Amino acid sequence: MNNKFKPQIADKIFKIVLYIIVFLVVLLLCGLLGYIMLGGIPYISWHFLTSSSDYIYAGGGIGIQLFNSIYLTVITLLISLPLSFGAGIWLAEYAPNNWMTDLIRNSLEVLSSLPSIVIGLFGFLLFVIKFRLGFSILAGGLTLAFFNLPLLTRSTENAIQNISDNQMFAGLALGVSRWEVVKNIIVPEAFPEIITGIILSTGRILGETAALIYTAGQSASIVDFSNWNPLSITSPLCPLRPAETVAVHIWKINTEGTVPDSGKISAGSAAVLLSMVLFFDLIARYSINKKNKRN
């Protein structure tokens, strides 16, 4: 009798331990999010989000840095998404199982494990010095594209591989080309997991600091928001101008800034960054749930 109930007791104990661990993890995450948001929200205002920064006097904002973060994220995704998406599809559906594909996958793993400061130094030597792009949004976007390629490629590959092979076999049995099956059946089914990878990469771009210090620069150049000519150095759309992001601004304020309200700026900026990541996550989840309901 005792031996009969021992596995059940052990199972209940194991479940309780797991619930406790999950509760502690959720509590830790909620505490961290609450600490950042509650500490920064009181300092967020329209003036803070739209005014330019000031490194001497109190009352500066993050308007230019906020725009730079969004613009740099868009540039990085425009560069990295087509490359990683195509590479992920090729690895999942077309690549043969040989030493070459193993080398590619191992290279992606090594690249994903590199510290961001190493990627930043690589981007500095290649794009800033060799290609003579200088400290610019384009140099930062190209560098972060290398930084995000492993995550986006592997997330795309894994998402496609998780789709049942029966989908492909059924399409091929009907005489449909492999590409048509991938485009119209496999990719739409894997889309929710692909979006998850894009969300993670977006959060990494928004929060990246070390790589951008050496590529996009540590200064926010004078930007004329009435000038939308991308060839003008004062235009916000110019990819060749230096661009300090919000994350770099936080680092600079805490390490080099002499502004009296540096603590408030840091707290407000951190809350803004976190809010942006949560916003993208909620929009993506809403789109995925809406698409699943239609299907």
Side-chain angles (χ1 to χ4, degrees):
M1 182 68 68
N2 293 333
N3 293 331
K4 181 179 180 180
F5 288 100
K6 278 185 179 180
Q8 297 179 359
I9 296 174
D11 183 67
K12 290 182 180 180
I13 294 175
F14 185 68
K15 285 183 179 180
I16 293 173
V17 171
L18 287 180
Y19 282 130
I20 293 174
I21 292 174
V22 171
F23 174 77
L24 291 177
V25 172
V26 173
L27 185 64
L28 179 63
L29 291 176
C30 291
L32 180 60
L33 294 177
Y35 176 79
I36 296 174
M37 297 300 290
L38 294 178
I41 287 178
Y43 306 116
I44 299 177
S45 64
W46 182 251
H47 172 78
F48 180 75
L49 295 176
T50 57
S51 62
S52 58
S53 58
D54 197 317
Y55 292 99
I56 300 177
Y57 303 103
I62 57 170
I64 297 177
Q65 287 82 3
L66 184 59
F67 178 85
N68 289 340
S69 295
I70 297 173
Y71 188 40
L72 184 62
T73 301
V74 172
I75 293 294
T76 304
L77 291 177
L78 287 176
I79 297 172
S80 59
L81 277 180
L83 296 175
S84 58
F85 195 59
I89 293 176
W90 181 79
L91 287 171
E93 294 293 340
Y94 294 94
N97 292 322
N98 54 28
W99 65 270
M100 181 180 176
T101 53
D102 291 338
L103 178 62
I104 292 174
R105 290 189 175 94
N106 290 333
S107 299
L108 290 173
E109 294 295 337
V110 172
L111 184 59
S112 65
S113 64
L114 288 177
S116 59
I117 192 170
V118 175
I119 302 294
L121 289 173
F122 164 78
F124 173 75
L125 294 174
L126 182 63
F127 301 119
V128 177
I129 303 298
K130 185 66 176 180
F131 290 167
R132 298 181 180 180
L133 295 177
F135 293 107
S136 62
I137 293 176
L138 184 57
L142 289 169
T143 302
L144 290 185
F146 278 93
F147 188 67
N148 273 338
L149 275 177
L151 173 61
L152 290 173
T153 301
R154 294 309 300 267
S155 63
T156 302
E157 180 188 3
N158 292 334
I160 293 175
Q161 288 179 339
N162 288 335
I163 304 301
S164 174
D165 292 337
N166 294 331
Q167 301 274 14
M168 177 63 70
F169 296 150
L172 296 177
L174 294 174
V176 183
S177 66
R178 191 180 190 90
W179 167 242
E180 290 293 330
V181 176
V182 171
K183 182 180 68 172
N184 297 321
I185 299 177
I186 304 299
V187 171
E189 287 291 328
F191 189 70
E193 292 188 38
I194 296 175
I195 286 293
T196 301
I198 296 175
I199 293 171
L200 293 175
S201 66
T202 302
R204 294 181 70 182
I205 296 171
L206 290 172
E208 184 52 47
T209 304
L212 295 178
I213 292 174
Y214 298 103
T215 53
Q218 304 178 39
S219 62
S221 59
I222 299 175
V223 177
D224 182 8
F225 284 95
S226 63
N227 177 17
W228 296 99
N229 179 15
L231 300 179
S232 174
I233 196 65
T234 60
S235 171
L237 297 181
C238 179
L240 298 178
R241 64 177 178 85
E244 181 187 53
T245 62
V246 176
V248 175
H249 185 62
I250 295 173
W251 171 81
K252 191 173 181 180
I253 282 292
N254 284 282
T255 56
E256 302 177 4
T258 58
V259 61
D261 58 345
S262 60
K264 297 180 180 179
I265 295 175
S266 298
S269 301
V272 170
L273 274 180
L274 181 58
S275 299
M276 291 171 65
V277 175
L278 291 176
F279 173 77
F280 287 130
D281 182 72
L282 292 175
I283 291 296
R285 294 301 174 187
Y286 173 77
S287 302
I288 292 172
N289 292 334
K290 191 173 181 180
K291 183 179 183 302
N292 290 336
K293 288 180 180 179
R294 289 178 180 178
N295 295 336

